[in-house]
Amino acid sequence: MVDRQIEFKILRYDPDSDEAPHWQSYSVPCDPDWVVLDAINWIKDNVDESLSYRWSCHMAVCGSCGMMVNGEPTLSCKAFLRDYPNTIEVEALNNFPIERDLVVVLDRFMESLAKVKPYIIPKEPRTAEDGTYTQTPAQLKAFKQYSMCINCTLCYAACPQVGLEDGFLGPAALALAHRYNLDSRDVGRSAREDVLTEHDGVWACSFVGACSQVCPKDVDPAAAIQQAKIASTIDYFKERLLPGRSR
Amino acid sequence: MSRRPYVRPISRTGWWTTQKRYTEYMAREVTCVFIGAYTVLLVWGLMRLSQGQEAWDSFVAGITGPVGILFHLVCLAFAFYNTVTWFRVTPKAMPLMFKGKRVPGTVIVGGHWAAWAGVTLVVLIVAGI
Ligand code: SF4
Ligand code: FES
Protein backbone atom coordinates (compact mmCIF):
# COMPACT_ATOMS: atom_id res chain seq x y z
CA MET A 1 0.00 0.00 0.00
CA VAL A 2 1.16 3.50 -0.78
CA ASP A 3 1.85 5.63 2.24
CA ARG A 4 -0.28 8.66 2.81
CA GLN A 5 1.50 11.71 4.15
CA ILE A 6 -0.54 13.23 6.95
CA GLU A 7 0.20 16.36 8.92
CA PHE A 8 -0.36 15.84 12.63
CA LYS A 9 -0.69 18.86 14.88
CA ILE A 10 -0.35 17.79 18.46
CA LEU A 11 -0.92 19.92 21.54
CA ARG A 12 2.22 19.51 23.64
CA TYR A 13 2.66 20.45 27.27
CA ASP A 14 5.68 19.81 29.45
CA PRO A 15 4.99 20.85 33.06
CA ASP A 16 8.73 21.17 33.70
CA SER A 17 9.40 23.78 31.05
CA ASP A 18 6.16 25.09 29.49
CA GLU A 19 4.00 27.87 30.85
CA ALA A 20 1.15 26.76 28.60
CA PRO A 21 0.50 24.09 25.96
CA HIS A 22 1.59 24.75 22.37
CA TRP A 23 0.98 23.08 19.02
CA GLN A 24 3.69 21.06 17.36
CA SER A 25 3.52 19.64 13.82
CA TYR A 26 4.70 16.27 12.57
CA SER A 27 4.51 14.96 9.03
CA VAL A 28 3.81 11.23 9.20
CA PRO A 29 4.00 8.64 6.37
CA CYS A 30 0.85 6.69 7.20
CA ASP A 31 -0.27 3.27 6.14
CA PRO A 32 -3.83 3.72 4.83
CA ASP A 33 -5.10 1.12 7.28
CA TRP A 34 -3.72 2.87 10.32
CA VAL A 35 -5.65 4.49 13.12
CA VAL A 36 -4.65 7.79 14.73
CA LEU A 37 -2.95 5.89 17.57
CA ASP A 38 -0.63 4.13 15.08
CA ALA A 39 0.54 7.48 13.74
CA ILE A 40 1.16 8.76 17.26
CA ASN A 41 3.13 5.61 18.05
CA TRP A 42 5.14 6.21 14.88
CA ILE A 43 5.97 9.74 16.04
CA LYS A 44 7.09 8.45 19.44
CA ASP A 45 9.20 5.68 17.89
CA ASN A 46 10.78 7.75 15.11
CA VAL A 47 10.68 11.45 15.87
CA ASP A 48 10.06 12.41 19.46
CA GLU A 49 10.27 9.88 22.26
CA SER A 50 9.17 12.44 24.82
CA LEU A 51 5.61 12.50 23.46
CA SER A 52 3.34 11.28 26.28
CA TYR A 53 -0.05 9.63 25.93
CA ARG A 54 -1.97 6.66 27.30
CA TRP A 55 -2.95 3.51 25.50
CA SER A 56 -2.98 -0.20 26.06
CA CYS A 57 -5.27 -2.54 24.14
CA HIS A 58 -5.40 -0.99 20.65
CA MET A 59 -8.87 -2.49 20.25
CA ALA A 60 -11.37 -0.13 21.87
CA VAL A 61 -11.58 -2.14 25.07
CA CYS A 62 -9.32 -0.62 27.72
CA GLY A 63 -10.63 2.93 27.34
CA SER A 64 -7.28 4.63 27.93
CA CYS A 65 -6.48 6.19 24.53
CA GLY A 66 -9.13 8.93 24.44
CA MET A 67 -8.06 12.21 22.78
CA MET A 68 -9.60 15.16 21.01
CA VAL A 69 -9.15 14.31 17.32
CA ASN A 70 -10.07 17.26 15.13
CA GLY A 71 -12.06 18.62 18.05
CA GLU A 72 -14.06 15.46 18.72
CA PRO A 73 -13.55 13.21 21.76
CA THR A 74 -12.37 9.97 20.18
CA LEU A 75 -10.68 6.67 21.00
CA SER A 76 -7.49 7.13 18.99
CA CYS A 77 -7.27 3.37 18.42
CA LYS A 78 -10.69 3.42 16.77
CA ALA A 79 -10.09 6.53 14.64
CA PHE A 80 -9.27 5.17 11.18
CA LEU A 81 -7.17 7.55 9.12
CA ARG A 82 -9.25 6.82 6.03
CA ASP A 83 -12.05 8.81 7.67
CA TYR A 84 -9.86 11.89 8.16
CA PRO A 85 -8.43 14.67 5.99
CA ASN A 86 -4.69 15.19 5.48
CA THR A 87 -4.36 17.43 8.50
CA ILE A 88 -5.29 16.06 11.90
CA GLU A 89 -5.27 17.96 15.17
CA VAL A 90 -4.79 15.93 18.33
CA GLU A 91 -5.24 17.37 21.78
CA ALA A 92 -5.74 16.06 25.31
CA LEU A 93 -9.36 15.36 26.24
CA ASN A 94 -11.36 18.52 26.93
CA ASN A 95 -12.62 19.36 30.41
CA PHE A 96 -9.69 17.67 32.14
CA PRO A 97 -6.47 19.31 33.34
CA ILE A 98 -3.48 18.34 31.18
CA GLU A 99 -0.84 16.41 33.12
CA ARG A 100 1.56 16.24 30.17
CA ASP A 101 0.97 16.29 26.39
CA LEU A 102 -2.05 14.04 25.75
CA VAL A 103 -2.25 12.69 29.29
CA VAL A 104 -5.01 14.16 31.45
CA VAL A 105 -5.59 14.21 35.22
CA LEU A 106 -8.43 11.76 35.93
CA ASP A 107 -8.88 12.42 39.67
CA ARG A 108 -12.26 14.03 39.28
CA PHE A 109 -13.60 11.11 37.29
CA MET A 110 -12.27 8.59 39.81
CA GLU A 111 -13.82 10.49 42.70
CA SER A 112 -17.16 10.73 40.90
CA LEU A 113 -17.14 7.00 40.24
CA ALA A 114 -16.45 6.21 43.90
CA LYS A 115 -19.27 8.50 45.03
CA VAL A 116 -22.01 6.60 43.19
CA LYS A 117 -21.11 3.26 44.85
CA PRO A 118 -20.64 1.42 41.55
CA TYR A 119 -20.97 -2.09 42.92
CA ILE A 120 -23.76 -4.41 43.90
CA ILE A 121 -25.17 -3.70 47.33
CA PRO A 122 -26.95 -6.96 48.18
CA LYS A 123 -29.92 -7.40 50.45
CA GLU A 124 -27.95 -9.66 52.76
CA PRO A 125 -24.27 -10.61 52.73
CA ARG A 126 -23.56 -13.60 50.53
CA THR A 127 -20.68 -16.04 50.66
CA ALA A 128 -19.20 -18.22 47.93
CA GLU A 129 -21.00 -21.19 49.45
CA ASP A 130 -24.33 -19.56 48.74
CA GLY A 131 -23.58 -19.95 45.05
CA THR A 132 -24.06 -17.51 42.24
CA TYR A 133 -26.90 -15.11 41.78
CA THR A 134 -29.41 -15.99 39.14
CA GLN A 135 -30.97 -13.50 36.80
CA THR A 136 -33.48 -13.86 34.00
CA PRO A 137 -32.59 -12.58 30.50
CA ALA A 138 -35.12 -9.79 30.99
CA GLN A 139 -33.51 -8.74 34.28
CA LEU A 140 -30.15 -8.67 32.57
CA LYS A 141 -31.47 -6.69 29.65
CA ALA A 142 -32.78 -4.00 31.98
CA PHE A 143 -29.25 -2.75 32.71
CA LYS A 144 -26.87 -4.47 30.27
CA GLN A 145 -26.42 -1.51 27.95
CA TYR A 146 -25.33 0.69 30.86
CA SER A 147 -22.79 -1.88 31.99
CA MET A 148 -20.82 -1.68 28.73
CA CYS A 149 -18.92 1.46 29.79
CA ILE A 150 -15.13 1.24 29.44
CA ASN A 151 -14.41 4.39 31.50
CA CYS A 152 -12.84 6.15 28.54
CA THR A 153 -14.20 9.55 29.72
CA LEU A 154 -14.99 10.68 26.17
CA CYS A 155 -18.41 11.64 27.49
CA TYR A 156 -16.80 13.95 30.05
CA ALA A 157 -14.81 15.64 27.31
CA ALA A 158 -18.00 16.12 25.27
CA CYS A 159 -20.20 17.47 28.05
CA PRO A 160 -20.33 21.27 28.47
CA GLN A 161 -21.75 20.89 31.99
CA VAL A 162 -18.66 18.93 33.06
CA GLY A 163 -16.56 21.89 31.93
CA LEU A 164 -18.75 24.53 33.54
CA GLU A 165 -19.66 22.82 36.83
CA ASP A 166 -16.63 21.63 38.75
CA GLY A 167 -18.48 19.21 40.99
CA PHE A 168 -20.84 17.64 38.43
CA LEU A 169 -20.50 13.86 38.69
CA GLY A 170 -20.70 13.55 34.91
CA PRO A 171 -22.26 11.15 32.41
CA ALA A 172 -20.42 7.85 32.95
CA ALA A 173 -20.63 7.91 36.77
CA LEU A 174 -24.33 8.75 36.70
CA ALA A 175 -25.02 6.08 34.07
CA LEU A 176 -23.22 3.57 36.23
CA ALA A 177 -25.28 4.53 39.27
CA HIS A 178 -28.40 3.96 37.18
CA ARG A 179 -26.98 0.64 35.98
CA TYR A 180 -26.70 -0.66 39.57
CA ASN A 181 -30.08 0.76 40.53
CA LEU A 182 -31.61 -1.25 37.69
CA ASP A 183 -29.86 -4.48 38.68
CA SER A 184 -32.20 -7.03 40.24
CA ARG A 185 -29.41 -8.17 42.61
CA ASP A 186 -28.96 -4.69 44.02
CA VAL A 187 -30.84 -2.91 46.80
CA GLY A 188 -28.61 0.17 46.97
CA ARG A 189 -31.00 2.60 45.38
CA SER A 190 -31.68 4.55 48.55
CA ALA A 191 -27.97 4.52 49.46
CA ARG A 192 -27.22 6.17 46.11
CA GLU A 193 -30.16 8.52 46.18
CA ASP A 194 -28.57 11.44 48.01
CA VAL A 195 -25.56 11.66 45.76
CA LEU A 196 -27.72 11.26 42.64
CA THR A 197 -30.20 13.95 43.55
CA GLU A 198 -27.89 16.50 45.16
CA HIS A 199 -26.80 19.62 43.29
CA ASP A 200 -24.00 17.83 41.41
CA GLY A 201 -26.06 14.77 40.51
CA VAL A 202 -28.55 14.12 37.72
CA TRP A 203 -30.16 17.56 37.97
CA ALA A 204 -26.95 19.29 36.96
CA CYS A 205 -27.46 17.65 33.55
CA SER A 206 -29.16 20.01 31.12
CA PHE A 207 -29.62 17.27 28.51
CA VAL A 208 -27.32 18.48 25.76
CA GLY A 209 -26.92 14.83 24.77
CA ALA A 210 -23.31 15.17 23.55
CA CYS A 211 -22.16 12.31 25.83
CA SER A 212 -24.28 9.78 23.99
CA GLN A 213 -23.11 11.03 20.61
CA VAL A 214 -19.44 10.41 21.37
CA CYS A 215 -19.71 7.22 23.45
CA PRO A 216 -17.81 4.44 21.63
CA LYS A 217 -19.80 1.71 23.37
CA ASP A 218 -23.33 3.01 22.80
CA VAL A 219 -23.89 3.21 26.52
CA ASP A 220 -26.16 6.21 25.97
CA PRO A 221 -25.43 7.93 29.29
CA ALA A 222 -27.81 10.77 28.41
CA ALA A 223 -30.69 8.28 28.41
CA ALA A 224 -29.58 6.81 31.74
CA ILE A 225 -29.51 10.26 33.31
CA GLN A 226 -32.95 11.29 32.02
CA GLN A 227 -34.38 8.01 33.30
CA ALA A 228 -32.67 8.54 36.64
CA LYS A 229 -34.26 11.99 36.82
CA ILE A 230 -37.70 10.47 36.31
CA ALA A 231 -37.01 7.69 38.83
CA SER A 232 -35.79 10.17 41.45
CA THR A 233 -38.85 12.36 40.92
CA ILE A 234 -41.12 9.37 41.45
CA ASP A 235 -39.16 8.37 44.57
CA TYR A 236 -39.47 11.93 45.88
CA PHE A 237 -43.25 11.90 45.67
CA LYS A 238 -43.58 8.35 46.94
CA GLU A 239 -41.56 9.17 50.02
CA ARG A 240 -43.65 12.20 50.81
CA LEU A 241 -47.10 11.11 49.77
CA LEU A 242 -47.38 7.42 50.58
CA PRO A 243 -47.92 6.57 54.24
CA GLY A 244 -45.52 4.24 56.00
CA ARG A 245 -42.57 5.04 53.77
CA SER A 246 -39.54 6.78 55.07
CA ARG A 247 -36.09 7.39 53.79
CA MET B 1 9.70 15.97 37.13
CA SER B 2 7.05 18.08 38.73
CA ARG B 3 3.31 18.02 38.66
CA ARG B 4 1.79 21.19 37.34
CA PRO B 5 -1.47 20.26 35.59
CA TYR B 6 -2.61 22.85 33.06
CA VAL B 7 -6.29 23.79 33.06
CA ARG B 8 -7.52 25.06 29.71
CA PRO B 9 -9.79 28.07 30.09
CA ILE B 10 -13.49 27.80 29.17
CA SER B 11 -15.57 30.83 28.27
CA ARG B 12 -18.54 31.03 30.66
CA THR B 13 -20.52 33.08 28.14
CA GLY B 14 -19.30 31.82 24.77
CA TRP B 15 -18.94 28.05 25.34
CA TRP B 16 -22.05 27.27 23.32
CA THR B 17 -20.53 28.79 20.18
CA THR B 18 -17.53 26.46 20.23
CA GLN B 19 -19.30 23.36 18.89
CA LYS B 20 -22.19 22.78 16.53
CA ARG B 21 -23.97 20.41 18.92
CA TYR B 22 -23.75 22.95 21.74
CA THR B 23 -25.24 25.63 19.48
CA GLU B 24 -28.07 23.29 18.47
CA TYR B 25 -28.77 22.61 22.11
CA MET B 26 -28.90 26.34 22.84
CA ALA B 27 -31.28 26.84 19.91
CA ARG B 28 -33.58 24.18 21.35
CA GLU B 29 -33.51 25.85 24.76
CA VAL B 30 -33.90 29.41 23.50
CA THR B 31 -36.91 28.62 21.31
CA CYS B 32 -38.91 27.86 24.45
CA VAL B 33 -38.93 31.64 25.03
CA PHE B 34 -41.34 31.96 22.10
CA ILE B 35 -43.57 29.26 23.52
CA GLY B 36 -43.59 31.23 26.76
CA ALA B 37 -44.37 34.44 24.86
CA TYR B 38 -47.30 32.81 23.11
CA THR B 39 -48.64 31.53 26.41
CA VAL B 40 -48.56 35.10 27.71
CA LEU B 41 -50.52 36.18 24.63
CA LEU B 42 -53.17 33.53 25.30
CA VAL B 43 -53.52 34.60 28.93
CA TRP B 44 -53.75 38.21 27.80
CA GLY B 45 -56.51 37.21 25.37
CA LEU B 46 -58.46 35.52 28.18
CA MET B 47 -58.17 38.64 30.26
CA ARG B 48 -59.47 40.82 27.43
CA LEU B 49 -62.34 38.39 26.91
CA SER B 50 -63.33 38.75 30.54
CA GLN B 51 -63.44 42.53 30.09
CA GLY B 52 -66.30 42.42 27.62
CA GLN B 53 -67.08 42.58 23.94
CA GLU B 54 -65.22 45.78 23.17
CA ALA B 55 -61.96 44.68 24.77
CA TRP B 56 -62.15 41.33 23.04
CA ASP B 57 -62.80 42.91 19.64
CA SER B 58 -59.77 45.15 19.96
CA PHE B 59 -57.65 42.14 21.01
CA VAL B 60 -58.82 40.19 17.95
CA ALA B 61 -58.12 43.19 15.72
CA GLY B 62 -54.62 43.34 17.16
CA ILE B 63 -53.73 39.69 16.57
CA THR B 64 -55.21 39.65 13.07
CA GLY B 65 -53.30 42.75 11.99
CA PRO B 66 -49.94 42.46 10.19
CA VAL B 67 -47.89 42.58 13.40
CA GLY B 68 -50.13 40.00 15.03
CA ILE B 69 -49.85 37.64 12.08
CA LEU B 70 -46.08 38.09 11.93
CA PHE B 71 -45.88 37.30 15.66
CA HIS B 72 -47.91 34.13 15.09
CA LEU B 73 -45.69 32.99 12.24
CA VAL B 74 -42.51 33.59 14.22
CA CYS B 75 -43.90 31.77 17.26
CA LEU B 76 -45.11 28.91 15.08
CA ALA B 77 -41.71 28.48 13.47
CA PHE B 78 -39.85 28.46 16.78
CA ALA B 79 -42.45 26.29 18.52
CA PHE B 80 -42.14 23.82 15.65
CA TYR B 81 -38.36 23.72 16.00
CA ASN B 82 -38.68 23.24 19.76
CA THR B 83 -41.19 20.43 19.29
CA VAL B 84 -39.18 18.61 16.63
CA THR B 85 -36.00 18.69 18.71
CA TRP B 86 -37.74 17.60 21.90
CA PHE B 87 -39.73 14.82 20.25
CA ARG B 88 -36.48 13.59 18.74
CA VAL B 89 -34.96 13.02 22.20
CA THR B 90 -38.02 11.42 23.83
CA PRO B 91 -36.75 7.83 23.34
CA LYS B 92 -33.90 8.65 25.73
CA ALA B 93 -36.28 9.41 28.56
CA MET B 94 -38.67 6.53 27.86
CA PRO B 95 -37.01 3.15 27.45
CA LEU B 96 -40.27 1.32 26.76
CA MET B 97 -40.13 -2.45 26.75
CA PHE B 98 -42.65 -4.58 24.90
CA LYS B 99 -42.60 -8.39 25.14
CA GLY B 100 -39.02 -8.33 26.41
CA LYS B 101 -37.81 -6.15 23.55
CA ARG B 102 -36.96 -2.50 23.58
CA VAL B 103 -39.45 -0.41 21.60
CA PRO B 104 -37.48 1.27 18.76
CA GLY B 105 -36.92 5.01 19.11
CA THR B 106 -38.67 5.71 15.82
CA VAL B 107 -41.87 4.19 17.21
CA ILE B 108 -41.70 6.35 20.33
CA VAL B 109 -41.07 9.51 18.32
CA GLY B 110 -43.80 8.48 15.86
CA GLY B 111 -46.20 7.96 18.77
CA HIS B 112 -45.58 11.52 19.91
CA TRP B 113 -46.31 12.88 16.44
CA ALA B 114 -49.47 10.76 16.23
CA ALA B 115 -50.61 12.13 19.60
CA TRP B 116 -49.81 15.64 18.40
CA ALA B 117 -51.85 15.12 15.22
CA GLY B 118 -54.76 13.74 17.27
CA VAL B 119 -54.79 16.67 19.68
CA THR B 120 -54.50 19.16 16.82
CA LEU B 121 -57.48 17.55 15.11
CA VAL B 122 -59.58 17.77 18.28
CA VAL B 123 -58.61 21.43 18.71
CA LEU B 124 -59.55 22.20 15.10
CA ILE B 125 -62.89 20.42 15.46
CA VAL B 126 -63.68 22.22 18.72
CA ALA B 127 -62.71 25.50 17.07
CA GLY B 128 -65.20 24.68 14.32
CA ILE B 129 -62.74 24.84 11.44
S1 SF4 C 1 -20.29 6.15 29.01
FE1 SF4 C 1 -19.32 5.77 27.00
S2 SF4 C 1 -18.10 7.64 26.63
FE2 SF4 C 1 -18.58 7.63 28.80
S3 SF4 C 1 -16.83 6.64 29.80
FE3 SF4 C 1 -18.35 5.02 29.41
S4 SF4 C 1 -17.81 4.15 27.41
FE4 SF4 C 1 -16.71 6.11 27.60
S1 FES D 1 -5.96 1.61 23.33
FE1 FES D 1 -7.48 0.59 24.54
S2 FES D 1 -9.28 1.66 23.98
FE2 FES D 1 -7.82 2.51 22.64
Side-chain angles (χ1 to χ4, degrees):
Chain A
M1 275 288 198
V2 191
D3 284 350
R4 186 175 149 209
Q5 205 67 26
I6 295 183
E7 179 90 354
F8 278 86
K9 285 193 189 162
I10 299 184
L11 194 71
R12 303 291 310 266
Y13 173 63
D14 180 349
D16 292 322
S17 57
D18 297 342
E19 266 319 301
H22 58 93
W23 292 97
Q24 196 165 333
S25 290
Y26 305 89
S27 185
V28 183
C30 298
D31 185 298
D33 288 336
W34 275 5
V35 291
V36 168
L37 179 60
D38 295 318
I40 292 174
N41 280 338
W42 186 91
I43 296 170
K44 188 167 178 84
D45 291 345
N46 297 284
V47 186
D48 191 343
E49 62 183 17
S50 72
L51 182 60
S52 300
Y53 52 100
R54 292 189 178 112
W55 72 287
S56 173
C57 71
H58 200 290
M59 49 195 273
V61 170
C62 74
S64 58
C65 69
M67 302 166 189
M68 304 300 294
V69 180
N70 281 351
E72 183 78 355
T74 311
L75 290 182
S76 55
C77 70
K78 206 178 169 229
F80 284 91
L81 293 178
R82 56 173 170 265
D83 300 328
Y84 288 88
N86 284 335
T87 308
I88 301 179
E89 280 184 10
V90 183
E91 176 178 348
L93 283 179
N94 273 356
N95 299 334
F96 290 100
I98 302 180
E99 184 81 61
R100 176 184 291 269
D101 294 340
L102 302 172
V103 176
V104 293
V105 182
L106 285 171
D107 297 359
R108 173 199 185 162
F109 176 59
M110 296 303 177
E111 284 157 19
S112 300
L113 272 187
K115 277 191 197 149
V116 301
K117 304 190 201 298
Y119 38 80
I120 287 175
I121 301 175
K123 205 168 190 166
E124 51 229 14
R126 216 174 150 95
T127 64
E129 286 73 48
D130 297 331
T132 51
Y133 286 99
T134 51
Q135 228 169 16
T136 66
Q139 286 171 330
L140 174 65
K141 194 161 209 158
F143 68 83
K144 181 150 184 233
Q145 173 191 350
Y146 305 127
S147 71
M148 304 309 279
C149 173
I150 57 172
N151 295 349
C152 66
T153 68
L154 298 191
C155 50
Y156 284 69
C159 173
Q161 284 300 96
V162 168
L164 295 166
E165 304 257 348
D166 280 342
F168 179 38
L169 295 174
L174 292 171
L176 209 53
H178 191 55
R179 170 248 176 279
Y180 283 97
N181 281 347
L182 291 175
D183 194 316
S184 59
R185 298 163 294 183
D186 182 275
V187 294
R189 185 157 164 173
S190 56
R192 289 183 199 100
E193 183 169 323
D194 285 342
V195 66
L196 278 191
T197 55
E198 66 169 14
H199 174 72
D200 291 329
V202 288
W203 299 104
C205 162
S206 58
F207 202 3
V208 178
C211 52
S212 293
Q213 291 173 359
V214 302
C215 176
K217 294 287 157 185
D218 294 326
V219 171
D220 204 351
I225 297 172
Q226 307 327 306
Q227 289 154 28
K229 283 180 189 170
I230 294 173
S232 93
T233 308
I234 293 172
D235 283 352
Y236 178 89
F237 284 108
K238 270 192 190 158
E239 274 154 21
R240 280 155 188 82
L241 299 178
L242 296 183
R245 274 184 176 253
S246 65
R247 307 190 60 189
Chain B
M1 287 274 245
S2 61
R3 279 199 70 185
R4 207 160 48 85
Y6 182 86
V7 177
R8 287 160 285 179
I10 296 176
S11 162
R12 296 236 140 230
T13 48
W15 63 270
W16 55 275
T17 60
T18 58
Q19 276 188 38
K20 188 164 155 270
R21 57 167 79 98
Y22 295 174
T23 314
E24 281 171 2
Y25 154 79
M26 268 307 202
R28 181 189 85 195
E29 298 293 298
V30 165
T31 47
C32 77
V33 169
F34 292 89
I35 293 182
Y38 198 76
T39 313
V40 171
L41 180 82
L42 288 181
V43 174
W44 177 253
L46 274 179
M47 199 186 80
R48 299 299 275 164
L49 185 62
S50 73
Q51 289 168 347
Q53 184 74 38
E54 212 173 300
W56 172 248
D57 286 343
S58 84
F59 174 75
V60 172
I63 59 170
T64 49
V67 178
I69 289 181
L70 186 70
F71 179 75
H72 273 78
L73 287 177
V74 170
C75 282
L76 180 68
F78 284 115
F80 190 68
Y81 181 86
N82 189 275
T83 307
V84 170
T85 47
W86 271 110
F87 277 11
R88 207 187 286 155
V89 294
T90 47
K92 291 212 184 303
M94 315 179 145
L96 296 181
M97 299 283 266
F98 184 68
K99 290 192 177 158
K101 283 220 176 80
R102 198 158 269 188
V103 178
T106 45
V107 174
I108 297 175
V109 177
H112 277 82
W113 282 114
W116 170 82
V119 171
T120 304
L121 199 66
V122 170
V123 170
L124 289 178
I125 291 170
V126 170
I129 297 172

